[in-house]
Amino acid sequence: MSPIRAAVPSFFLARRLLRRHGSRIEFARYAYFTLFAAKRALVDAEFRDLIVTDLFYYQPVAIKLAALARTDEDMLGRLLPLVEEELADMVSPGSPYELTPLITIDEMPQLEETTASGGELEPATSDELEFPESNSAGSFGLVKADMTSTARMHRTLWLVSSVLRDLDQVENLELKRRTLVELLELWGRFITVLSADASLADLRSAVTRHLQTSGDSSEESDEKLEDFLGRSIPAGVAIGGIEMTLSSPKLASVFDVALSSGGLRRSNECVTASLLLLFLLRSPGWAMKAATLVDQAEATWVLTHFFHALCQDAYAQGGAPEDELLALCKALYLKQQTFTSADIRSAHLDQYTQRLRTERAKTRHSRHPA
């Protein structure tokens, strides 16, 4: 071995990219291993073909390869079949997509007491733990038939979302649009699948048992909380995943094309995931676009409770544009009830609007006290 070639491992060992493990030398971090594998695929056509032929199996390398390549239309074209394979398994809509019964209101609203803006908020303390990055070599050995539907779908979503986001220099807009529409459908489907997952049922039961032993709740409130967790946790996991993988300004124009084509209104699942992505992107006019989707959507629980709560909080926290975001909140509010007269409707809507504006003012005051 030449002195130069011998110096390379020594340099990497000194920089802690590599480490000694007994008589072997290996990558010190799994992330280094997948990064160097992806860089190898850029210059080795045979190795690249191995990766892209089975994107699901080589997911960690494929994600990094997309981020490095950015123009690989062939890889982009291989994403859609992965999503279609998951969507081919028919799944009945879960509890998050149950329709919310309309509440009929036939009385004028009661006057609400207004409270003065509070003082400064107590500084939040964080108990979050920082977990060290794993040193294990890891493995790509994943057989779909042996995986749960939740785990398989999650891996597919993470792969396709990340690769679609990072192949931003591919010019085939129609292929991107089709992939995004199917992908959003699958993100919405994931909420259903996760809501029926056994691990979530275990979590709900554990929370309920804790409340029962603490004596801080009644049987009725326990049932309501368990039902709420069963519906909201899957939606929360989904929006977190979308934020980590798909939420990027690079996809804003693709989303707009998909929205204008009408493809995002194909199902409650697709509408829900589209609204979550819009909420995260916050691109110009996002609230108005969301209101358009909401107007034509069914009043599902995840829309009228989970997404509505997100929008109300965004408005209270000073979200912009103020008028459009307020209009979106009002549209979601009206999805949940019907009124026996125009006067009653107007009075309740005015009261709701005033309540939102009061919360927004309180937040502004707490951040900038006089």
Side-chain angles (χ1 to χ4, degrees), residues 264-304:
L264 299 180
R265 302 185 182 94
R266 56 193 282 180
S267 68
N268 289 332
E269 289 88 346
C270 194
V271 167
T272 299
S274 300
L275 288 170
L276 296 180
L277 180 57
L278 263 177
F279 180 84
L280 293 168
L281 286 175
R282 306 287 179 95
S283 55
W286 77 271
M288 187 179 300
K289 297 170 187 175
T292 301
L293 281 174
V294 167
D295 286 341
Q296 302 177 23
E298 292 186 299
T300 60
W301 186 95
V302 71
L303 179 69
T304 59

Side-chain angles (χ1 to χ4, degrees), residues 287-348:
M288 187 179 300
K289 297 170 187 175
T292 301
L293 281 174
V294 167
D295 286 341
Q296 302 177 23
E298 292 186 299
T300 60
W301 186 95
V302 71
L303 179 69
T304 59
H305 289 73
F306 184 82
F307 186 68
H308 189 195
L310 287 178
C311 293
Q312 288 183 135
D313 182 69
Y315 182 82
Q317 298 301 321
E322 180 178 353
D323 291 342
E324 293 180 10
L325 184 50
L326 178 60
L328 174 58
C329 291
K330 290 160 70 173
L332 289 162
Y333 170 77
L334 293 174
K335 276 285 180 182
Q336 304 172 53
Q337 47 244 320
T338 184
F339 305 90
T340 56
S341 73
D343 289 341
I344 292 176
R345 180 184 185 276
S346 178
H348 279 273

Side-chain angles (χ1 to χ4, degrees), residues 18 32 46 111 123 139 167 181 198 202 206 209 225 247 258 263 275 284 310 318 323 349 354:
L18 300 176
Y32 299 157
E46 184 177 355
L111 292 178
S139 171
L167 290 178
V181 170
D202 292 341
R209 287 195 302 271
L225 177 60
S247 177
L275 288 170
L310 287 178
D323 291 342
L349 195 56
Q354 185 57 46

Side-chain angles (χ1 to χ4, degrees), residues 244-259:
M244 290 290 292
T245 61
L246 197 60
S247 177
S248 169
K250 295 183 286 188
L251 285 174
S253 60
V254 182
F255 182 91
D256 288 343
V257 172
L259 180 62

Side-chain angles (χ1 to χ4, degrees), residues 93-109:
S95 60
Y97 292 107
E98 289 180 358
L99 298 183
T100 302
L102 275 176
I103 300 173
T104 300
I105 299 177
D106 56 6
E107 296 180 350
M108 298 296 282

